[in-house]
Amino acid sequence: MTLAIDVQGLSKSFDGKTVVHDLTLRVARGQICGFLGPNGSGKTTSIRMLCGLLKPDSGSGTCLGYDVIRETDQIKRHIGYMTQKFGLYEDLTIQENLQFTARVYGLDRRNERVEASLERLGLHHRRNQLAGALSGGWKQRLALAACLLHEPELLLLDEPTAGVDPKARRDFWDQIHAMAAQGITVLVSTHYMDEAERCHEIVYIAYGRLLTYGSIHQVIAEAGLTTWAVAAKGDGARIATLSQDLSGKPGIDAVAAFGAGLHVGGRDAAALERAIAPYRSDPMLTWQRTEPNLEDVFIDLVARAENDPRAA
Amino acid sequence: MLWRRFLAVFIKEFVQMRRDRITFAMMVGVPLMQLILFGYAINSDPKSLPTAVVMGDSSPFARSIVTALQNSAYFRIVESPVSEARADELLRLGDVQFVVTIPVDFTRDLIRGDRPTLLVEADATDPAATSNAISALISLNDTALDHDLKGPLASLKNAPPPFDLQIHRRYNEEGITQFNIVPGLMGVVLTMTMVMMTGLAMTREQERGTMENLLAMPIRPVEVMLGKIAPYIFVGYVQVTIIILAAHYLFDVPVIGSLPLLFGSAIFFIAANLSVGFTFSTLAKSQMQAMQLSFFYFLPSLLLSGFMFPFRGMPEWAQWIGEVLPLTHFLRIIRGVMLKGNAPYEVWPNLWPIAAFMLAAMALALLRYRRTVA
């Protein structure tokens, strides 16, 4: 199994503030790796370091076998990077944008590739429309098509589905899986838990530090979290006060709203049971042991990272 | 209620103003710059203009005339004596503003009372620069020889003056202002438009969020820069053509020199200004800032290049700044070619500074461009 991404100890700081701290990441070829973490956790900076846009302050490694510090030109040639914000020209037409991209990459059979790309996109009849006139979902498809023109082996997608409707999101993910099946490696950052669940493996970072890494099952299992689901009879007011009461109690590591109820989690099952015992007799509440989901795990991870003195 | 909402906007504007350093610098910098330039650098009565003397006669009389010229403060003898051919070359190159020719047999004719003619040739491509000096000349022939005309020659002092003065306005016989302004305008128009065009180049990419995508692609900064500059060279040439046509057909400005030479030289000037604009756009954070930065370039270009005010009227420090600016050299080139018929070798002394400026601006732009990656 060869690695598409293999970096160790990448760090980057801006104006003395560490944005990414000691990031070590290995992603096998053909995998879809979900990159998760709160806003400002260093996801974009990490992706920029991987694609040669930013030079890490320290650390080393390779992307597609090319050195992330010295061979950035080679990396840029072989990866596709989709920026968080629409990065194509709004005052160029769809076709002109694709032509421009193809020219920059110096592709042969340019017209043929652009035609094929328009065909795949289903934008054949709208080729002369200005990119600025497209809706969010179409812009995202165009941006993806532009980064696929040069047939990259690795795709780095920075929150590609932000502001995109559910149907377009589902189509997008179908496409990602189709590409992975062809052997393309995909690193995709997202805030959506349902998208995380579509990934082969996930990476969770917060405060610039990698908190967990692995398949969803591994991540959940390693968190060692015991979770109780609480539901309330009547209106939701009881749940809101309960959530405040429980947060921060010893033994309770994560409280999260889940549907009309709550998920209450703790790493120490016995301590958790002691903490919730006084509430379990409440006739208005029903308690039930449940499997922790990704969100529970992440809430616990972030809470733990917050209390970590190293997280400045 | 109205008051509170007014105050909300009022306070917000102040906060934003304080954040925008360049605007702040503009508000302080522009008045200061104008005060300094207008107050110290500009002088519409230029003195000590470089002058060459062709000595056909080196008698004490001739030397008295040269001394009288220098005493007038308008003339500074830089080369004397020179041959006629050399004098002509100096005038064409713009190295001297005046050539004074003391004819052969000047003394003999003077003593005989034949009233010899002293020839003063002025480079009239900039009429404003020479007019006061020429006025000063008029009284010269009355008084220059007062000390020399003693004893038997004292009778020559009586009117009419002992010698005649012939003033020859070279390259612009009638002293038409348009001959100076219209070719100069070409340089000014190019400076303003070209800097602005590329000034927006990188900031537009930044503002529209296309920069990151561009940087992520395998394209080098120099490729981006040249690709962004080249299209505007065509725009520049369209402007050059329009102004030359207008100069010729609307203002009857002569085109004595070679048009291909003019067009050939213009490319350096156009590219230099485009590079400056590109540099600004790598320095600025927004298109607005790029515009403001370009103002700091226009102002000295307009005032210190010799376009609005005579170059030689400025103090030395201002002339040094002027010598750095491409517009100064381009004005000399275009006036030289159109009005004086300058040949390539006469254009060269003003061409290389433009090329050097261009390369420096490009180097700075590339240096800055790399830094914007971070």
Side-chain angles (χ1 to χ4, degrees):
Chain A
M1 188 173 74
T2 53
L3 295 172
I5 298 174
D6 183 10
V7 293
Q8 301 89 33
L10 293 189
S11 294
K12 183 78 194 174
S13 55
F14 295 109
D15 303 323
K17 192 175 175 294
T18 305
V19 179
V20 174
H21 191 98
D22 200 18
L23 178 78
T24 296
L25 191 62
R26 283 187 186 81
V27 181
R29 288 199 190 236
Q31 293 285 296
I32 300 173
C33 176
F35 209 43
L36 291 104
N39 288 330
S41 57
K43 297 192 296 286
T44 300
T45 304
S46 302
I47 292 178
R48 285 177 179 170
M49 285 194 282
L50 292 175
C51 68
L53 263 180
L54 272 182
K55 194 170 181 263
D57 294 338
S58 60
S60 63
T62 59
C63 223
L64 297 172
Y66 301 109
D67 191 284
V68 290
I69 291 158
R70 287 190 307 274
E71 295 175 300
T72 54
D73 281 351
Q74 290 295 327
I75 291 177
K76 286 178 185 180
R77 231 172 291 249
H78 291 95
I79 61 153
Y81 172 42
M82 190 169 151
T83 53
Q84 200 167 342
K85 199 174 167 229
F86 183 63
L88 295 173
Y89 298 93
E90 301 210 332
D91 48 358
L92 292 188
T93 65
I94 292 166
Q95 179 166 293
E96 286 162 347
N97 267 308
L98 293 173
Q99 288 277 3
F100 169 72
T101 308
R103 281 199 177 95
V104 169
Y105 282 98
L107 300 179
D108 58 347
R109 300 179 286 114
R110 197 175 63 239
N111 289 327
E112 203 179 306
R113 284 176 198 259
V114 170
E115 283 306 311
S117 176
L118 285 168
E119 198 74 60
R120 257 200 317 274
L121 264 173
L123 284 171
H124 216 257
H125 55 294
R126 292 164 74 179
R127 59 170 69 201
N128 291 322
Q129 205 170 348
L130 293 182
L134 294 172
S135 68
W138 281 105
K139 273 185 185 165
Q140 175 237 45
R141 292 178 73 163
L142 173 59
L144 182 65
C147 29
L148 289 173
L149 268 182
H150 63 291
E151 295 167 7
E153 295 155 56
L154 169 65
L155 269 181
L156 300 171
L157 311 172
D158 196 2
E159 291 185 25
T161 54
V164 169
D165 69 62
K167 163 84 167 64
R169 269 173 60 194
R170 206 177 59 214
D171 293 347
F172 182 82
W173 275 93
D174 288 345
Q175 212 179 337
I176 299 283
H177 274 275
M179 286 186 300
Q182 290 166 29
I184 298 176
T185 314
V186 182
L187 182 75
V188 52
S189 77
T190 180
H191 283 297
Y192 299 110
M193 290 305 143
D194 63 315
E195 291 188 351
E197 282 164 9
R198 290 170 184 260
C199 297
H200 298 131
E201 51 199 0
I202 54 172
V203 174
Y204 194 85
I205 70 170
Y207 308 105
R209 288 167 198 276
L210 189 143
L211 299 184
T212 185
Y213 172 69
S215 72
I216 289 157
H217 293 294
Q218 280 171 326
V219 165
I220 292 174
E222 276 171 22
L225 214 58
T226 308
T227 303
W228 288 83
V230 202
K233 299 185 183 80
D235 62 3
R238 182 77 191 92
I239 288 295
T241 53
L242 181 70
S243 168
Q244 282 184 357
D245 291 349
L246 293 176
S247 293
K249 273 212 170 7
I252 296 176
D253 297 306
V255 180
F258 195 82
L262 283 182
H263 269 197
V264 182
R267 284 183 295 282
D268 182 339
L272 177 64
E273 267 188 66
R274 279 197 299 278
I276 63 173
Y279 302 93
R280 289 186 66 183
S281 52
D282 190 328
M284 297 296 285
L285 300 172
T286 50
W287 291 81
Q288 199 177 4
R289 270 293 292 270
T290 182
E291 278 300 307
N293 61 25
L294 266 182
E295 201 164 354
D296 298 326
V297 172
F298 293 157
I299 288 166
D300 172 49
L301 283 172
V302 173
R304 257 194 284 174
E306 263 173 0
N307 298 329
D308 187 329
R310 286 177 311 167
Chain B
M1 273 317 265
L2 170 98
W3 175 246
R4 206 186 302 159
R5 288 184 298 238
F6 157 80
L7 214 60
V9 177
F10 179 85
I11 291 167
K12 173 191 81 84
E13 287 301 314
F14 259 113
V15 172
Q16 287 177 320
M17 209 190 298
R18 214 184 46 209
R19 296 273 145 76
D20 188 355
R21 295 253 175 86
I22 290 196
T23 300
F24 210 71
M26 274 273 288
M27 286 186 287
V28 180
V30 168
L32 272 180
M33 203 164 165
Q34 296 214 11
L35 277 170
I36 290 168
L37 294 186
F38 277 102
Y40 294 115
I42 286 157
N43 169 18
S44 51
D45 182 20
K47 298 217 168 124
S48 80
L49 298 166
T51 304
V53 181
V54 180
M55 288 279 217
D57 183 339
S58 55
S59 67
F61 293 110
R63 272 180 272 128
S64 290
I65 288 170
V66 171
T67 311
L69 283 172
Q70 275 178 305
N71 288 346
S72 77
Y74 280 104
F75 304 91
R76 181 169 47 94
I77 312 295
V78 289
E79 274 196 50
S80 173
V82 291
S83 68
E84 274 177 51
R86 173 67 180 151
D88 208 50
E89 190 191 12
L90 286 171
L91 212 52
R92 268 202 322 271
L93 285 168
D95 286 347
V96 296
Q97 196 88 35
F98 292 98
V99 171
V100 175
T101 306
I102 297 169
V104 185
D105 298 336
F106 179 77
T107 313
R108 196 194 66 193
D109 292 350
L110 184 90
I111 293 171
R112 278 189 190 168
D114 282 352
R115 306 191 62 238
T117 303
L118 188 74
L119 177 67
V120 177
E121 293 165 282
D123 176 351
T125 48
D126 185 357
T130 50
S131 61
N132 283 2
I134 288 173
S135 312
L137 271 177
I138 307 297
S139 60
L140 186 85
N141 55 353
D142 267 338
T143 54
L145 297 177
D146 273 3
H147 291 288
D148 296 290
L149 299 174
K150 287 178 291 206
L153 298 175
S155 62
L156 292 170
K157 274 206 243 180
N158 304 329
F163 60 94
D164 260 340
L165 203 57
Q166 195 188 351
I167 295 160
H168 192 172
R169 290 182 178 84
R170 294 283 301 272
Y171 318 118
N172 185 2
E173 296 288 330
E174 293 158 65
I176 299 168
T177 314
Q178 276 88 337
F179 283 20
N180 177 57
I181 297 287
V182 176
L185 258 180
M186 184 193 290
V188 171
V189 166
L190 285 175
T191 302
M192 295 194 137
T193 51
M194 293 297 105
V195 171
M196 240 189 263
M197 296 283 174
T198 39
L200 303 178
M202 294 321 292
T203 41
R204 185 160 50 219
E205 303 265 356
Q206 293 273 21
E207 268 179 37
R208 297 193 185 170
T210 51
M211 190 66 193
E212 194 181 357
N213 194 43
L214 194 63
L215 291 174
M217 292 200 276
I219 187 163
R220 293 203 187 90
V222 65
E223 293 158 348
V224 174
M225 182 177 77
L226 294 179
K228 276 180 177 277
I229 284 178
Y232 296 109
I233 288 181
F234 289 98
V235 178
Y237 271 122
V238 170
Q239 292 182 327
V240 169
T241 311
I242 290 173
I243 293 173
I244 286 183
L245 289 175
H248 192 67
Y249 290 106
L250 297 180
F251 298 102
D252 294 319
V253 179
V255 185
I256 292 167
S258 122
L259 276 180
L261 176 59
L262 191 60
F263 274 82
S265 316
I267 195 167
F268 290 97
F269 181 65
I270 294 171
N273 283 311
L274 290 171
S275 314
V276 171
F278 195 87
T279 308
F280 285 159
S281 87
T282 58
L283 293 169
K285 288 196 180 70
S286 64
Q287 298 192 48
M288 174 75 179
Q289 283 192 352
M291 290 275 109
Q292 291 174 332
L293 274 175
S294 56
F295 202 80
F296 282 103
Y297 180 70
F298 294 156
L299 209 56
S301 285
L302 226 56
L303 298 178
L304 301 183
S305 64
F307 173 71
M308 288 180 89
F309 305 97
F311 189 81
R312 291 196 171 109
M314 303 190 303
E316 206 170 322
W317 63 266
Q319 292 199 13
W320 276 111
I321 299 174
E323 291 285 354
V324 174
L325 298 169
L327 182 58
T328 308
H329 297 283
F330 188 66
L331 290 180
R332 292 177 191 160
I333 290 176
I334 190 159
R335 287 171 185 163
V337 174
M338 283 179 79
L339 303 175
K340 297 177 176 179
N342 276 174
Y345 80 94
E346 291 163 319
V347 161
W348 176 246
N350 282 309
L351 198 56
W352 72 260
I354 298 179
F357 186 94
M358 175 188 81
L359 292 177
M362 283 183 173
L364 182 63
L366 287 179
L367 228 70
R368 280 293 312 178
Y369 184 103
R370 289 214 182 93
R371 249 183 271 173
T372 51
V373 178

PDB file of all heavy atoms in Angstrom, chain A residues 1-2 29 51 59 78 83 87 90 122 168 171-172 181 192 195 231 272 292 295 297 307:
ATOM      1  N   MET A   1       0.856  -1.197   0.000  1.00  0.00           N
ATOM      2  CA  MET A   1       0.000   0.000   0.000  1.00  0.00           C
ATOM      3  C   MET A   1       0.889   1.243   0.000  1.00  0.00           C
ATOM      4  O   MET A   1       1.657   1.487   0.926  1.00  0.00           O
ATOM      5  CB  MET A   1      -0.890  -0.012   1.251  1.00  0.00           C
ATOM      6  CG  MET A   1      -1.930   1.071   1.228  1.00  0.00           C
ATOM      7  SD  MET A   1      -3.085   0.920   2.616  1.00  0.00           S
ATOM      8  CE  MET A   1      -2.101   1.486   3.983  1.00  0.00           C
ATOM      9  N   THR A   2       0.795   2.024  -1.056  1.00  0.00           N
ATOM     10  CA  THR A   2       1.612   3.235  -1.092  1.00  0.00           C
ATOM     11  C   THR A   2       0.811   4.404  -0.535  1.00  0.00           C
ATOM     12  O   THR A   2      -0.411   4.413  -0.561  1.00  0.00           O
ATOM     13  CB  THR A   2       2.042   3.569  -2.524  1.00  0.00           C
ATOM     14  OG1 THR A   2       0.881   3.605  -3.337  1.00  0.00           O
ATOM     15  CG2 THR A   2       3.025   2.565  -3.070  1.00  0.00           C
ATOM     16  N   ARG A  29      -3.188   5.657  -0.906  1.00  0.00           N
ATOM     17  CA  ARG A  29      -3.757   5.990  -2.213  1.00  0.00           C
ATOM     18  C   ARG A  29      -5.141   5.393  -2.362  1.00  0.00           C
ATOM     19  O   ARG A  29      -5.407   4.283  -1.901  1.00  0.00           O
ATOM     20  CB  ARG A  29      -2.849   5.482  -3.328  1.00  0.00           C
ATOM     21  CG  ARG A  29      -1.582   6.300  -3.416  1.00  0.00           C
ATOM     22  CD  ARG A  29      -0.895   6.124  -4.758  1.00  0.00           C
ATOM     23  NE  ARG A  29       0.427   6.754  -4.680  1.00  0.00           N
ATOM     24  CZ  ARG A  29       0.821   7.698  -5.530  1.00  0.00           C
ATOM     25  NH1 ARG A  29       0.036   8.085  -6.508  1.00  0.00           N
ATOM     26  NH2 ARG A  29       2.023   8.226  -5.420  1.00  0.00           N
ATOM     27  N   CYS A  51      -0.328  21.197  -0.336  1.00  0.00           N
ATOM     28  CA  CYS A  51      -0.324  21.408  -1.790  1.00  0.00           C
ATOM     29  C   CYS A  51       0.755  22.387  -2.223  1.00  0.00           C
ATOM     30  O   CYS A  51       0.767  22.829  -3.369  1.00  0.00           O
ATOM     31  CB  CYS A  51      -1.698  21.838  -2.285  1.00  0.00           C
ATOM     32  SG  CYS A  51      -2.193  23.450  -1.744  1.00  0.00           S
ATOM     33  N   GLY A  59       9.028  20.422  10.108  1.00  0.00           N
ATOM     34  CA  GLY A  59       8.397  19.178   9.672  1.00  0.00           C
ATOM     35  C   GLY A  59       8.827  18.839   8.268  1.00  0.00           C
ATOM     36  O   GLY A  59       9.520  19.604   7.612  1.00  0.00           O
ATOM     37  N   HIS A  78       0.547  17.765  -9.990  1.00  0.00           N
ATOM     38  CA  HIS A  78      -0.108  16.462  -9.884  1.00  0.00           C
ATOM     39  C   HIS A  78      -1.301  16.397  -8.944  1.00  0.00           C
ATOM     40  O   HIS A  78      -1.919  15.352  -8.803  1.00  0.00           O
ATOM     41  CB  HIS A  78       0.913  15.387  -9.484  1.00  0.00           C
ATOM     42  CG  HIS A  78       1.893  15.112 -10.583  1.00  0.00           C
ATOM     43  ND1 HIS A  78       3.113  15.727 -10.643  1.00  0.00           N
ATOM     44  CD2 HIS A  78       1.801  14.337 -11.679  1.00  0.00           C
ATOM     45  CE1 HIS A  78       3.744  15.322 -11.724  1.00  0.00           C
ATOM     46  NE2 HIS A  78       2.974  14.487 -12.375  1.00  0.00           N
ATOM     47  N   THR A  83     -10.281  25.467  -3.747  1.00  0.00           N
ATOM     48  CA  THR A  83     -10.247  26.424  -2.643  1.00  0.00           C
ATOM     49  C   THR A  83     -11.633  26.557  -2.021  1.00  0.00           C
ATOM     50  O   THR A  83     -12.648  26.280  -2.649  1.00  0.00           O
ATOM     51  CB  THR A  83      -9.785  27.806  -3.128  1.00  0.00           C
ATOM     52  OG1 THR A  83     -10.608  28.198  -4.229  1.00  0.00           O
ATOM     53  CG2 THR A  83      -8.354  27.779  -3.583  1.00  0.00           C
ATOM     54  N   GLY A  87     -12.761  29.907  -6.779  1.00  0.00           N
ATOM     55  CA  GLY A  87     -11.499  30.506  -7.199  1.00  0.00           C
ATOM     56  C   GLY A  87     -11.371  30.754  -8.681  1.00  0.00           C
ATOM     57  O   GLY A  87     -10.325  31.151  -9.164  1.00  0.00           O
ATOM     58  N   GLU A  90     -15.202  34.947 -12.354  1.00  0.00           N
ATOM     59  CA  GLU A  90     -16.639  35.121 -12.533  1.00  0.00           C
ATOM     60  C   GLU A  90     -16.954  35.863 -13.823  1.00  0.00           C
ATOM     61  O   GLU A  90     -18.060  35.769 -14.333  1.00  0.00           O
ATOM     62  CB  GLU A  90     -17.224  35.875 -11.334  1.00  0.00           C
ATOM     63  CG  GLU A  90     -16.964  35.139 -10.026  1.00  0.00           C
ATOM     64  CD  GLU A  90     -18.035  35.378  -8.982  1.00  0.00           C
ATOM     65  OE1 GLU A  90     -18.663  36.444  -9.027  1.00  0.00           O
ATOM     66  OE2 GLU A  90     -18.238  34.472  -8.143  1.00  0.00           O
ATOM     67  N   GLY A 122     -22.351  18.234 -17.532  1.00  0.00           N
ATOM     68  CA  GLY A 122     -23.698  18.531 -17.962  1.00  0.00           C
ATOM     69  C   GLY A 122     -23.868  20.026 -18.205  1.00  0.00           C
ATOM     70  O   GLY A 122     -24.953  20.581 -18.064  1.00  0.00           O
ATOM     71  N   ALA A 168     -27.275  18.505  -4.389  1.00  0.00           N
ATOM     72  CA  ALA A 168     -25.979  18.728  -5.031  1.00  0.00           C
ATOM     73  C   ALA A 168     -24.865  18.104  -4.199  1.00  0.00           C
ATOM     74  O   ALA A 168     -23.894  17.582  -4.742  1.00  0.00           O
ATOM     75  CB  ALA A 168     -25.730  20.225  -5.219  1.00  0.00           C
ATOM     76  N   ASP A 171     -24.844  14.376  -4.959  1.00  0.00           N
ATOM     77  CA  ASP A 171     -24.220  14.138  -6.273  1.00  0.00           C
ATOM     78  C   ASP A 171     -22.703  14.271  -6.180  1.00  0.00           C
ATOM     79  O   ASP A 171     -21.953  13.478  -6.758  1.00  0.00           O
ATOM     80  CB  ASP A 171     -24.737  15.157  -7.296  1.00  0.00           C
ATOM     81  CG  ASP A 171     -26.213  14.955  -7.596  1.00  0.00           C
ATOM     82  OD1 ASP A 171     -26.739  13.894  -7.205  1.00  0.00           O
ATOM     83  OD2 ASP A 171     -26.824  15.860  -8.202  1.00  0.00           O
ATOM     84  N   PHE A 172     -22.307  15.305  -5.443  1.00  0.00           N
ATOM     85  CA  PHE A 172     -20.883  15.577  -5.293  1.00  0.00           C
ATOM     86  C   PHE A 172     -20.176  14.394  -4.655  1.00  0.00           C
ATOM     87  O   PHE A 172     -19.135  13.930  -5.137  1.00  0.00           O
ATOM     88  CB  PHE A 172     -20.726  16.838  -4.439  1.00  0.00           C
ATOM     89  CG  PHE A 172     -19.315  17.269  -4.227  1.00  0.00           C
ATOM     90  CD1 PHE A 172     -18.652  18.006  -5.189  1.00  0.00           C
ATOM     91  CD2 PHE A 172     -18.646  16.946  -3.052  1.00  0.00           C
ATOM     92  CE1 PHE A 172     -17.355  18.415  -4.991  1.00  0.00           C
ATOM     93  CE2 PHE A 172     -17.343  17.345  -2.854  1.00  0.00           C
ATOM     94  CZ  PHE A 172     -16.695  18.087  -3.819  1.00  0.00           C
ATOM     95  N   ALA A 181     -12.702   5.211  -6.462  1.00  0.00           N
ATOM     96  CA  ALA A 181     -12.711   3.864  -7.046  1.00  0.00           C
ATOM     97  C   ALA A 181     -11.696   3.759  -8.182  1.00  0.00           C
ATOM     98  O   ALA A 181     -11.161   2.689  -8.456  1.00  0.00           O
ATOM     99  CB  ALA A 181     -14.109   3.531  -7.549  1.00  0.00           C
ATOM    100  N   TYR A 192     -19.738  18.809   8.058  1.00  0.00           N
ATOM    101  CA  TYR A 192     -20.943  17.984   8.127  1.00  0.00           C
ATOM    102  C   TYR A 192     -20.613  16.576   8.598  1.00  0.00           C
ATOM    103  O   TYR A 192     -19.749  15.907   8.023  1.00  0.00           O
ATOM    104  CB  TYR A 192     -21.613  17.896   6.755  1.00  0.00           C
ATOM    105  CG  TYR A 192     -22.060  19.229   6.216  1.00  0.00           C
ATOM    106  CD1 TYR A 192     -21.424  19.800   5.129  1.00  0.00           C
ATOM    107  CD2 TYR A 192     -23.143  19.898   6.786  1.00  0.00           C
ATOM    108  CE1 TYR A 192     -21.842  21.023   4.620  1.00  0.00           C
ATOM    109  CE2 TYR A 192     -23.561  21.121   6.281  1.00  0.00           C
ATOM    110  CZ  TYR A 192     -22.911  21.675   5.203  1.00  0.00           C
ATOM    111  OH  TYR A 192     -23.324  22.875   4.707  1.00  0.00           O
ATOM    112  N   GLU A 195     -21.220  13.834   6.064  1.00  0.00           N
ATOM    113  CA  GLU A 195     -20.139  13.724   5.071  1.00  0.00           C
ATOM    114  C   GLU A 195     -18.949  12.977   5.658  1.00  0.00           C
ATOM    115  O   GLU A 195     -18.306  12.183   4.973  1.00  0.00           O
ATOM    116  CB  GLU A 195     -19.713  15.112   4.590  1.00  0.00           C
ATOM    117  CG  GLU A 195     -20.782  15.784   3.749  1.00  0.00           C
ATOM    118  CD  GLU A 195     -20.306  17.077   3.110  1.00  0.00           C
ATOM    119  OE1 GLU A 195     -19.208  17.557   3.439  1.00  0.00           O
ATOM    120  OE2 GLU A 195     -21.063  17.600   2.269  1.00  0.00           O
ATOM    121  N   ALA A 231     -34.404  11.552  26.778  1.00  0.00           N
ATOM    122  CA  ALA A 231     -35.533  12.188  26.097  1.00  0.00           C
ATOM    123  C   ALA A 231     -36.466  12.707  27.177  1.00  0.00           C
ATOM    124  O   ALA A 231     -36.505  12.189  28.280  1.00  0.00           O
ATOM    125  CB  ALA A 231     -36.253  11.197  25.201  1.00  0.00           C
ATOM    126  N   LEU A 272     -19.736   8.403  35.148  1.00  0.00           N
ATOM    127  CA  LEU A 272     -20.861   8.969  34.402  1.00  0.00           C
ATOM    128  C   LEU A 272     -22.175   8.541  35.041  1.00  0.00           C
ATOM    129  O   LEU A 272     -23.077   9.355  35.258  1.00  0.00           O
ATOM    130  CB  LEU A 272     -20.795   8.509  32.940  1.00  0.00           C
ATOM    131  CG  LEU A 272     -21.943   8.955  32.031  1.00  0.00           C
ATOM    132  CD1 LEU A 272     -21.964  10.470  31.894  1.00  0.00           C
ATOM    133  CD2 LEU A 272     -21.830   8.302  30.663  1.00  0.00           C
ATOM    134  N   PRO A 292     -22.174   5.811  21.108  1.00  0.00           N
ATOM    135  CA  PRO A 292     -21.790   7.201  20.813  1.00  0.00           C
ATOM    136  C   PRO A 292     -21.646   7.401  19.298  1.00  0.00           C
ATOM    137  O   PRO A 292     -21.254   6.486  18.583  1.00  0.00           O
ATOM    138  CB  PRO A 292     -20.433   7.353  21.514  1.00  0.00           C
ATOM    139  CG  PRO A 292     -19.915   5.975  21.671  1.00  0.00           C
ATOM    140  CD  PRO A 292     -21.104   5.064  21.771  1.00  0.00           C
ATOM    141  N   GLU A 295     -20.293  12.851  16.514  1.00  0.00           N
ATOM    142  CA  GLU A 295     -20.415  14.175  17.116  1.00  0.00           C
ATOM    143  C   GLU A 295     -20.085  14.136  18.610  1.00  0.00           C
ATOM    144  O   GLU A 295     -19.393  14.999  19.121  1.00  0.00           O
ATOM    145  CB  GLU A 295     -21.831  14.705  16.884  1.00  0.00           C
ATOM    146  CG  GLU A 295     -21.896  16.202  17.007  1.00  0.00           C
ATOM    147  CD  GLU A 295     -23.171  16.763  16.403  1.00  0.00           C
ATOM    148  OE1 GLU A 295     -23.937  16.004  15.788  1.00  0.00           O
ATOM    149  OE2 GLU A 295     -23.398  17.959  16.562  1.00  0.00           O
ATOM    150  N   VAL A 297     -18.157  12.103  20.066  1.00  0.00           N
ATOM    151  CA  VAL A 297     -16.714  11.921  20.205  1.00  0.00           C
ATOM    152  C   VAL A 297     -16.001  13.250  20.005  1.00  0.00           C
ATOM    153  O   VAL A 297     -15.108  13.626  20.768  1.00  0.00           O
ATOM    154  CB  VAL A 297     -16.209  10.866  19.191  1.00  0.00           C
ATOM    155  CG1 VAL A 297     -14.688  10.808  19.189  1.00  0.00           C
ATOM    156  CG2 VAL A 297     -16.807   9.501  19.511  1.00  0.00           C
ATOM    157  N   ASN A 307      -9.082  21.918  27.617  1.00  0.00           N
ATOM    158  CA  ASN A 307      -8.518  21.852  28.959  1.00  0.00           C
ATOM    159  C   ASN A 307      -7.037  21.518  28.955  1.00  0.00           C
ATOM    160  O   ASN A 307      -6.386  21.593  29.985  1.00  0.00           O
ATOM    161  CB  ASN A 307      -9.271  20.812  29.795  1.00  0.00           C
ATOM    162  CG  ASN A 307     -10.732  21.195  29.948  1.00  0.00           C
ATOM    163  OD1 ASN A 307     -11.060  22.378  29.973  1.00  0.00           O
ATOM    164  ND2 ASN A 307     -11.603  20.209  30.037  1.00  0.00           N
TER     165      ASN A 307
END
